[in-house]
């Protein structure tokens, strides 16, 4: 068992290096003096860790696709491409944060540490292969995101953004967990592959219940990607958050959850033609409404942050 676990961990060196970089930055944050030189050293350590993780992820393209940790996490080129984009997005946002005047000098290191933590969760989201791992890693990156939104501790709007994000996030997570629990009750499994196989044996009545479960699960996913009609949190949260945090929210968490949505769609719903047709129509309708409402509403915004919130729906 231990040997199997260590073997699985060897394929997750990119995530481990990000965690190591985050740990080193935490240790430096508690020891160095609040000077620009010390902060620059912390940023260098973190950036090196992310770059090492980036190159290790590129090296994973030579590995065959596999499912690790008792069928809980997948390692394939689809997840590798997503991880590369996530790391590059984080590096870009960290550069913006280092040069941003919207962040207090004493919180810039905290910003890098928290974004690195969200990146770890995002890198695990893209490979999630069962409902439990998907829920846990989404909640992991969400909790750190709530802190990021309220990073300007003396700004009432930033504190309001963090509170709203946490309240809406808790509600959507509860609804998603409710749907996952019922889906497990119907199929008897939390593994996406086994759930897909179970769909073929369900009666038409149970398929209708499955549709309701999938809608409930999509509530949590739609909240993270600001899909209509679960987007109402994003304008206020984007406006109250610091500029680098707003940029980060529009890239990394959304890309990770969209990747998870694509994986779930391909694994679960492709096995049942009727269910796949229904899900495809639902996604198309939500996509059209999201793009229409988001872009039309963005036209009337005077705040750049609110414009970014609506246009990134």
């Amino acid at each position: 068992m231990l040997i199997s676990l260590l073997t699985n961990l060897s394929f997750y060196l990119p995530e481990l290096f990000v965690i190591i970089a985050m740990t080193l930055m935490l240790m430096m944050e508690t020891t160095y003096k609040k000077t620009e030189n010390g902060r620059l050293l912390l940023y260098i350590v973190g950036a090196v860790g992310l770059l090492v993780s980036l190159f290790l992820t590129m090296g994973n393209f030579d590995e065959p696709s596999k499912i690790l940790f008792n069928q809980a996490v997948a390692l394939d080129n689809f997840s590798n491409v997503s991880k590369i984009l996530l790391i590059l997005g984080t590096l870009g946002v960290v550069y913006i944060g280092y040069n941003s005047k919207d962040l207090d000098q004493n919180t810039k290191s905290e910003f890098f540490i928290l974004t690195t933590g969200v990146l770890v969760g995002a890198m695990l989201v893209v490979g999630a292969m069962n409902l439990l791992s998907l829920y846990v890693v989404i909640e992991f990156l969400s909790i750190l995101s709530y802190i990021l939104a309220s990073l300007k501790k003396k700004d009432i709007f930033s504190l309001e953004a963090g509170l709203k994000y946490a309240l809406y996030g808790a509600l959507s997570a509860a609804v998603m967990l409710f749907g996952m629990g019922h889906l497990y009750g119907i199929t008897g499994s939390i593994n996406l592959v086994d759930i897909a196989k179970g769909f073929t044996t369900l009666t038409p009545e149970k398929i209708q219940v499955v549709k309701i479960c999938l809608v409930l699960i999509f509530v949590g996913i739609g909240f993270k990607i600001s899909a209509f009609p679960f987007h109402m949190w994003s304008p206020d949260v984007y406006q109250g958050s610091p500029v680098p945090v707003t940029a980060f929210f529009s890239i990394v968490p959304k890309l990770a959850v969209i990747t998870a949505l694509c994986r779930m769609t391909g694994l679960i719903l492709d096995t049942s033609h009727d269910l796949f047709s229904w899900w495809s129509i639902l996604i198309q309708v939500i996509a059209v409404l999201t793009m229409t409402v988001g872009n039309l509403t963005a036209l009337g915004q005077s705040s750049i942050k609110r414009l970014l919130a609506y246009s990134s729906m």
Side-chain angles (χ1 to χ4, degrees), residues 211 269 272-284:
K211 291 180 180 180
L269 302 174
S272 175
H273 177 70
D274 295 337
L275 199 58
F276 185 80
S277 300
W278 167 83
W279 181 259
S280 298
I281 294 173
L282 177 65
I283 293 296
Q284 290 173 36

Side-chain angles (χ1 to χ4, degrees), residues 180-238:
M180 288 179 173
H182 279 74
L183 188 60
Y184 166 72
I186 293 174
T187 60
S189 176
I190 61 173
N191 184 272
L192 297 181
V193 176
D194 294 337
I195 290 174
K197 294 178 181 178
F199 285 161
T200 59
T201 62
L202 296 180
T203 62
E205 292 78 12
K206 289 185 177 180
I207 288 293
Q208 299 305 315
V209 178
V210 167
K211 291 180 180 180
I212 298 175
C213 294
L214 292 175
V215 171
L216 295 177
I217 293 173
F218 184 79
V219 171
I221 294 176
F223 168 81
K224 293 305 299 180
I225 62 177
S226 301
F228 179 88
F230 314 110
H231 67 287
M232 300 308 296
W233 61 274
S234 56
D236 292 335
V237 172
Y238 276 47

Side-chain angles (χ1 to χ4, degrees), residues 132-267:
L132 180 61
S133 61
L134 179 63
Y135 176 79
V136 169
V137 291
I138 286 180
E139 282 304 288
F140 176 76
L141 67 88
S142 296
I143 292 173
L144 294 180
S145 297
Y146 305 153
I147 302 173
L148 278 171
S150 56
L151 202 56
K152 295 172 68 175
K153 305 178 182 67
K154 297 181 181 180
D155 188 341
I156 188 172
F157 294 106
S158 181
L159 298 177
E160 180 186 0
L163 179 61
K164 284 185 176 180
Y165 198 7
L167 291 176
Y168 283 118
L171 177 61
S172 65
V175 173
M176 179 174 65
L177 189 60
F178 188 73
M180 288 179 173
H182 279 74
L183 188 60
Y184 166 72
I186 293 174
T187 60
S189 176
I190 61 173
N191 184 272
L192 297 181
V193 176
D194 294 337
I195 290 174
K197 294 178 181 178
F199 285 161
T200 59
T201 62
L202 296 180
T203 62
E205 292 78 12
K206 289 185 177 180
I207 288 293
Q208 299 305 315
V209 178
V210 167
K211 291 180 180 180
I212 298 175
C213 294
L214 292 175
V215 171
L216 295 177
I217 293 173
F218 184 79
V219 171
I221 294 176
F223 168 81
K224 293 305 299 180
I225 62 177
S226 301
F228 179 88
F230 314 110
H231 67 287
M232 300 308 296
W233 61 274
S234 56
D236 292 335
V237 172
Y238 276 47
Q239 186 175 29
S241 302
V243 173
V245 174
T246 301
F248 184 73
F249 284 166
S250 64
I251 300 173
V252 174
K254 289 188 177 182
L255 175 60
V257 178
I258 287 174
T259 303
L261 177 62
C262 293
R263 184 181 296 278
M264 186 181 74
T265 300
L267 287 174

Side-chain angles (χ1 to χ4, degrees), residues 47-211:
V48 170
L50 294 186
L51 288 174
V52 171
S53 176
L54 177 64
F55 289 120
L56 289 173
T57 304
M58 292 178 178
N60 280 341
F61 280 102
D62 298 329
E63 296 290 337
S65 300
K66 54 179 67 68
I67 303 179
L68 308 171
F69 301 109
N70 294 323
Q71 310 295 311
V73 185
L75 179 66
D76 51 27
N77 287 341
F78 181 57
S79 61
N80 288 332
V81 171
S82 301
K83 290 175 185 178
I84 289 174
L85 295 176
L86 291 171
I87 295 172
L88 291 176
T90 303
L91 285 170
V93 171
V94 165
Y95 175 77
I96 295 174
Y98 182 77
N99 295 282
S100 174
K101 295 182 179 179
D102 200 30
L103 282 175
D104 185 83
Q105 292 295 325
N106 293 328
T107 60
K108 287 186 176 183
S109 54
E110 298 174 19
F111 169 72
F112 196 177
I113 294 169
L114 289 171
T115 52
T116 305
V118 175
L119 175 62
V120 174
M123 294 174 72
L124 294 174
V125 166
V126 300
M129 284 293 291
N130 68 40
L131 298 178
L132 180 61
S133 61
L134 179 63
Y135 176 79
V136 169
V137 291
I138 286 180
E139 282 304 288
F140 176 76
L141 67 88
S142 296
I143 292 173
L144 294 180
S145 297
Y146 305 153
I147 302 173
L148 278 171
S150 56
L151 202 56
K152 295 172 68 175
K153 305 178 182 67
K154 297 181 181 180
D155 188 341
I156 188 172
F157 294 106
S158 181
L159 298 177
E160 180 186 0
L163 179 61
K164 284 185 176 180
Y165 198 7
L167 291 176
Y168 283 118
L171 177 61
S172 65
V175 173
M176 179 174 65
L177 189 60
F178 188 73
M180 288 179 173
H182 279 74
L183 188 60
Y184 166 72
I186 293 174
T187 60
S189 176
I190 61 173
N191 184 272
L192 297 181
V193 176
D194 294 337
I195 290 174
K197 294 178 181 178
F199 285 161
T200 59
T201 62
L202 296 180
T203 62
E205 292 78 12
K206 289 185 177 180
I207 288 293
Q208 299 305 315
V209 178
V210 167
K211 291 180 180 180

Side-chain angles (χ1 to χ4, degrees), residues 11-80:
F11 295 108
Y12 273 80
L13 289 178
E15 287 84 351
L16 291 176
F17 266 90
V18 176
I19 294 173
I20 291 172
M22 180 181 177
T23 304
L24 290 176
M25 287 190 291
L26 278 170
M27 295 173 62
M28 295 176 65
E29 168 70 10
T30 59
T31 55
Y32 74 74
K33 295 181 180 179
K34 302 298 182 179
T35 62
E36 186 62 32
N37 291 333
R39 188 171 296 107
L40 177 61
L41 179 60
L42 183 145
Y43 265 70
I44 291 174
V45 170
V48 170
L50 294 186
L51 288 174
V52 171
S53 176
L54 177 64
F55 289 120
L56 289 173
T57 304
M58 292 178 178
N60 280 341
F61 280 102
D62 298 329
E63 296 290 337
S65 300
K66 54 179 67 68
I67 303 179
L68 308 171
F69 301 109
N70 294 323
Q71 310 295 311
V73 185
L75 179 66
D76 51 27
N77 287 341
F78 181 57
S79 61
N80 288 332

